[in-house]
Amino acid sequence: MNDKRMSQLYEQDNPTNNYKNVAHAFFLALAITIAEPSTVLPLIIEHFSNSALIVGLFVSLLRGGAILTQLYAAFHAQSYKKVLPYLQKVFLFRWFSWFSIGLSIYFIGDAHKTLTLTLIGLGLFGFSLSAGFGAIYFKELQAKLFSKAYRGKTMANRQVAGSIASIISGGVAGYVLSHFQAPLNYAYLFIVSSFIMGVGFFIFTTIDDEPLKENVQQKEKNFGLFVKNAFATLKADKRLQQQTLAIFLSFACYLSIPFVILEAKNSFTLTGWLLGGFIMVQMLGSIVGSSLLWRRISNYEKMLSWSFVFMIAAFGVALFANNSYIYAVVFFLYGVALDGFGNSGMNLIIEIAPEAKRPIYTAIQTNLSSIGLFFPVLGGLLLKSFGSYELIYLLTIALLFIGFVISLKLKSSISIDL
């Protein structure tokens, strides 16, 4: 490798940017774990509504709103030489949406439960909607700032830092939930965590020297033409189709996971400390996955397949769970698998996307696969109709198995110019 190439790699893989990348993950995870969709959030929503369908809908709102903005964000981002200024605006909107949830619970709370629930929904939707823009800009920055080998390491570091923060957050959540009455304890969690989140957002916006992207795509005359071209890209790339379908099926875990904690609540007394303990165990699984397993696998197709295996195992155990220890195993396996899904999904799309079309590829995969974020609505509907946790667990396992089979057919990542 010549001196010029070595210099380019050093500039791209700036250690300072790695530290800021990891710090962002730490503070963000420390903040949002208090509304973890597998534990705390279902209980918050159940406090204001006893409907399983409403619980499923609100869990979907936390992340599903991004579907509506991904393609539109990519339409503009494809022509941007720099994306960090736009990401700063996204961070500000996300922070305000999160903070407003805490204010709504604190000032309205149980006095007008329907209004409080509506405002929580709006806050979650705004937080999720802005993530659609943020995801495009974030992946673009990761691809520009870090080489393939270094990116795998910094993402693994992000995941470990986020998991450690989430364990801390689990302990804090356990303390707050045990020492304050609902719904004030929920309000305190959101308000305090919004300021912690702000620290992470600020650190990331100080990333040094974002490279100019010279190989940009000329923006179409209108958004409709862009959507037409995006689907033409999807139709022409079989690998993108297979990969998107596999990642869509990975979201089948959300068909059941929001309701695992509700079944646990029916099986034994769910104290604030025990709930915090489940959060900590899940994040411990994430740390074990990142530090001992995922960081050792550079083949992201293989990582995706193994993630399916761990997630299937989690719901296999859930079928027989009847005490807190077995539920802890469920959340541990879930943490391992979820971490693998996140790491493999992001890196797979970066690997197969041509540089000029990277925002388009990211939006296509994320938009279509993220329809799976509405699996909780289906799970809530099935639970309301049949009242059977075993039914939704078995359906989840079946869908995950199909995703596993598809993931085995994915070839090694190759970028293709279309």
Side-chain angles (χ1 to χ4, degrees):
M1 183 179 293
N2 59 40
D3 292 341
K4 182 178 180 181
R5 178 58 178 160
M6 287 287 290
S7 176
Q8 287 174 339
L9 280 178
Y10 179 77
E11 290 177 6
Q12 184 182 38
D13 297 333
N14 186 336
T16 301
N17 288 338
N18 172 52
Y19 299 144
K20 292 178 180 179
N21 198 29
V22 173
H24 167 251
F26 178 86
F27 286 104
L28 184 60
L30 190 62
I32 66 174
T33 301
I34 65 101
E36 228 291 321
S38 62
T39 48
V40 181
L41 185 58
L43 294 177
I44 293 176
I45 304 309
E46 190 187 42
H47 177 86
F48 296 102
S49 172
N50 291 321
S51 170
L53 184 59
I54 295 297
V55 171
L57 176 62
F58 273 66
V59 170
S60 296
L61 283 177
L62 178 59
R63 292 171 177 160
I67 296 175
L68 301 177
T69 56
Q70 289 266 342
L71 278 175
Y72 186 72
F75 167 59
H76 291 285
Q78 63 181 325
S79 62
Y80 293 161
K81 292 189 175 184
K82 284 193 173 185
V83 297
L84 189 56
Y86 302 97
L87 188 59
Q88 293 171 343
K89 297 176 182 178
V90 169
F91 283 165
L92 180 61
F93 188 85
R94 297 197 84 196
W95 179 86
F96 178 77
S97 298
W98 194 260
F99 182 62
S100 70
I101 295 174
L103 292 182
S104 300
I105 298 174
Y106 182 83
F107 286 108
I108 302 174
D110 288 339
H112 302 282
K113 285 190 173 183
T114 301
L115 177 59
T116 302
L117 198 62
T118 301
L119 293 174
I120 291 173
L122 289 174
L124 291 175
F125 185 66
F127 186 78
S128 177
L129 194 73
S130 55
F133 287 92
I136 297 293
Y137 305 148
F138 178 78
K139 289 185 176 70
E140 187 70 11
L141 272 174
Q142 296 297 313
K144 292 168 71 176
L145 294 172
F146 307 114
S147 63
K148 176 181 178 180
Y150 200 88
R151 186 172 63 247
K153 293 178 182 179
T154 191
M155 290 308 298
N157 292 337
R158 275 182 62 91
Q159 289 167 328
V160 171
S163 299
I164 292 173
S166 296
I167 289 177
I168 297 172
S169 184
V172 172
Y175 176 84
V176 173
L177 292 172
S178 297
H179 286 77
F180 298 96
Q181 292 294 318
L184 283 181
N185 51 5
Y186 303 139
Y188 295 150
L189 286 174
F190 272 97
I191 291 172
V192 173
S193 66
S194 66
F195 289 100
I196 296 173
M197 181 185 297
V199 174
F201 285 162
F202 174 78
I203 291 174
F204 194 82
T205 58
T206 63
I207 285 285
D208 294 330
D209 301 323
E210 177 192 351
L212 285 175
K213 181 179 178 181
E214 300 298 338
N215 187 16
V216 296
Q217 186 89 351
Q218 184 174 1
K219 189 165 68 173
E220 290 84 352
K221 293 182 179 180
N222 57 68
F223 181 59
L225 183 59
F226 169 79
V227 172
K228 181 179 179 181
N229 290 341
F231 278 97
T233 298
L234 176 64
K235 185 177 180 180
D237 194 331
K238 298 296 182 184
R239 166 56 193 258
L240 179 59
Q241 295 172 24
Q242 284 185 313
Q243 182 172 301
T244 300
L245 179 57
I247 294 173
F248 164 74
L249 289 170
S250 73
F251 286 108
C253 61
Y254 290 110
L255 180 72
S256 297
I257 198 63
F259 309 106
V260 170
I261 197 69
L262 299 185
E263 186 187 26
K265 185 181 178 182
N266 294 332
S267 302
F268 50 84
T269 301
L270 189 61
T271 65
W273 281 118
L274 189 55
L275 179 62
F278 284 152
I279 295 174
M280 295 170 74
V281 167
Q282 179 180 324
M283 299 312 158
L284 180 62
S286 180
I287 291 177
V288 170
S290 289
S291 59
L292 298 181
L293 183 60
W294 306 133
R295 71 184 298 129
R296 299 173 183 270
I297 301 177
S298 58
N299 183 318
Y300 297 116
E301 291 82 3
K302 183 182 294 186
M303 185 186 296
L304 180 61
S305 297
W306 274 107
S307 300
F308 275 111
V309 171
F310 279 102
M311 191 63 81
I312 290 170
F315 288 104
V317 174
L319 283 169
F320 305 99
N322 56 13
N323 61 60
S324 60
Y325 299 103
I326 300 179
Y327 276 103
V329 174
V330 174
F331 287 113
F332 178 84
L333 291 172
Y334 177 73
V336 174
L338 200 63
D339 202 57
F341 281 141
N343 197 340
S344 60
M346 191 200 78
N347 282 287
L348 281 171
I349 195 60
I350 290 176
E351 290 306 307
I352 71 167
E355 181 184 6
K357 292 190 175 184
R358 196 158 50 216
I360 301 173
Y361 268 63
T362 299
I364 291 172
Q365 176 177 290
T366 307
N367 255 71
L368 295 180
S369 64
S370 294
I371 295 173
L373 290 171
F374 292 97
F375 271 125
V377 179
L378 175 60
L381 183 60
L382 291 174
L383 192 58
K384 180 180 179 180
S385 300
F386 300 100
S388 172
Y389 289 97
E390 290 78 10
L391 173 65
I392 59 174
Y393 293 168
L394 288 171
L395 180 57
T396 298
I397 291 172
L399 292 172
L400 289 170
F401 182 75
I402 295 172
F404 168 70
V405 172
I406 294 172
S407 74
L408 293 177
K409 298 179 180 180
L410 297 177
K411 304 296 183 182
S412 182
S413 304
I414 300 175
S415 293
I416 302 172
D417 281 315
L418 296 174

